[in-house]
Amino acid sequence: MKRLLRSVKILRVVARYRLDTFFDGMNLPFYLRVLLKLLPWRYMVAADQPRGERLRLALEALGPVFIKFGQMLSTRRDLLPDDVAEELKKLQDQVPPFGGAEAQHIIEQSLGQPVSELFAQFEQQPLASASVAQVHKATLGDGRDVVVKVIRPGIERTIQKDVALLYSLAQIAQAIWADGRRLRPVEVVAEYEQTIFDELDLRKEAANGSQLHRNFDGSDVLYIPEIYWDYTRSNVLVMERIHGIPVADVEQLVAQNTDMKKLAERGVEIFFTQVFRDSFFHADMHPGNIFVSRDNPQSPQYIAVDFGIVGSLTPEDQSYLARNFLAFFQRDYRQVAQLHVDSGWVPSDTNVDAFETAIRSVCEPIFEKPLKEISFGQVLLGLFQTARRFNMEVQPQLVLLQKTLLNIEGLGRQLYPELDLWKTAKPFLEGWMKERMGPKAVYRSIKQQAPDWLEKMPHMPQLVFDALNQVRRLDDSRARDLRAYAAARDELERRHRPTRYLGVALILLAVVSGNDQAMDWLASVSAASWIAAGVGLYLVVRR
């Protein structure tokens, strides 16, 4: 009954915001096109607003789970038209907070102690509220300022119900929509389900934060707050409270004489360091999660929070991605096409010449602009959209990377409009490739493997002896198999010998009957001669 009532509410929202217009022009079955025309609200409610805006308003009306789903969709520019993706970016993840007393009860139940014993001070009024959790200010007994993140009560049941409905809608879309199979809406919902349920376990976010903290320990470009594991559970996370300027507050940054050029360039440096040095990157770096330290504005330091979504790349993906970037900016489109094939991002039987031509037609116009105006994120998007025409499978790790790059790039241009992303990134990529593939890399690999060789050296005689024994056993086994095969073949030959004699006799009889005109009694059965010859030949050659 609850699911039915929820479905009725969704239908009302669909009617109110005329989401049925998204299906206009699609290649739907005849009966569905008729059904769309018969929907009563099509003649009662006008679709005056742009489609992206109507979709955004509908998701806001459906509540926090759908809002978060819309936010996730806004990052999938490989699946959505640009106008819809741009509108979904405007979704705000601000929802009314739940009661502070209820949050305090959850904390006490999870940590097994009263708040008064856990903290010297705890503010019931939330500092911020989101769809999945809200944050409270607190102070530890030793005076350290912290924030306490608490999962919204009952949110898991709400998510389960709404995700079940999303699956139903995705399955319907995949069944009736011509592009449904290519865009794989069911897999998109599955990706969202995994992401949002991961966010419900704050221990995973804490682990991500701890890893990032270690990766940038002592760094003067990025600071990651400390996680307090003794106070962290699946539904409660306690983290060092940071004091910085929101990165989007450009006026305040300028007012304290921040070096905006260096700030923008350091954002790019952080991104490429996380992706290529650590292969572990903060994948939710929108302005709400990024702050700038008030200390030393001439050498500004970023501060990042909210580590629920992180990404990583394999060494192979790192290498192919770096080489793609370098090949693109050298206009070596053949290399870009070949790298896509070599990496397995497109099928191995892809026509590389046709793929190269398609990439050139998309990318060459970009170089008509000044280099500083070229968007790395849009380059990736263009490459993915072109590759999709050549049956490129959606690469989740690359989609997450592209989303993060778009965030970083947009943020950098907002801070310093003259930012030349390529000028900042190229030395990093070239240095990384040299370190990865140059003589030093070979020496480092040998040096790393030397201890293993030295450790195994005393056992080498035994290992060689075992290997030779294994080869001998394989040879003996192969010899036994060959002897068994020969014996079986001889036995089969012996059994088939009489039938082969019969076959030869039938062939001779056919020859005689077909050529000896003196044998009148056989002259009238020439068809039988052919049959006898065929049967005889079969008996002779059959194994």
Side-chain angles (χ1 to χ4, degrees), residues 510-518:
V511 172
V512 171
S513 67
N515 293 284
D516 191 352
Q517 299 300 322

Side-chain angles (χ1 to χ4, degrees), residues 14 19-28 33 36 173 176-177:
V14 167
L19 299 188
D20 56 281
T21 60
F22 279 81
F23 296 96
D24 292 345
M26 290 185 182
N27 186 21
L28 300 176
R33 293 201 300 271
L36 279 176
I176 67 175
W177 189 13

